[in-house]
Amino acid sequence: MSAPAKVSGALKSVDYEVFGRVQGNGGLRGLPGEGPREQEAKKLGVVGWVKNTSQGTVTGQVQGPEERVNEMKSWLSKVGSPSSRIDKTSFSNEKEISKLDFSDFNTRY
């Protein structure tokens, strides 16, 4: 059983988009290994995905226990990957879910 399923409480899902100098700062250029977003997600025990957009932003979805999703939202808004500059982060489609749609956190290409 994955870490998120072991934590009691409501499960949440939220879509996000991060604006600023946020691409090419680790993990999304086809390089081997996990990037900072994947590492933070796994540390927090959330699942979902991340992807670069053609507009120079990073978009994705996070799912997990509400408290952990909120921690990831804060990280995406204030910390981010090394060398990144976050101008703003928008969140949408935040909702309670009955089960997780993903088993881990990964990069989409």
Side-chain angles (χ1 to χ4, degrees):
M1 186 178 274
S2 65
K6 292 180 184 176
V7 178
S8 62
L11 294 175
K12 290 282 187 178
S13 176
V14 65
D15 297 337
Y16 64 88
E17 187 167 13
V18 185
F19 299 82
R21 189 171 52 91
V22 294
Q23 290 189 3
N25 297 305
L28 290 180
R29 291 275 183 209
L31 300 173
E34 295 179 341
R37 292 171 197 89
E38 291 91 338
Q39 292 169 354
E40 186 67 18
K42 288 178 182 180
K43 182 177 96 175
L44 292 175
V46 295
V47 298
W49 57 272
V50 61
K51 176 177 142 176
N52 283 337
T53 70
S54 59
Q55 294 79 33
T57 64
V58 172
T59 188
Q61 186 175 83
V62 175
Q63 295 183 348
E66 182 174 16
E67 180 180 316
R68 302 298 174 103
V69 168
N70 289 339
E71 288 177 49
M72 188 68 179
K73 285 172 62 177
S74 178
W75 187 87
L76 288 165
S77 298
K78 299 174 185 170
V79 180
S81 300
S83 305
S84 66
R85 185 197 75 240
I86 300 168
D87 292 339
K88 79 172 184 176
T89 305
S90 67
F91 298 97
S92 60
N93 301 320
E94 188 161 353
K95 60 189 173 193
E96 191 168 315
I97 56 175
S98 60
K99 66 179 183 64
L100 300 173
D101 295 325
F102 311 99
S103 59
D104 61 3
F105 195 94
N106 58 52
T107 300
R108 291 186 175 177
Y109 297 95

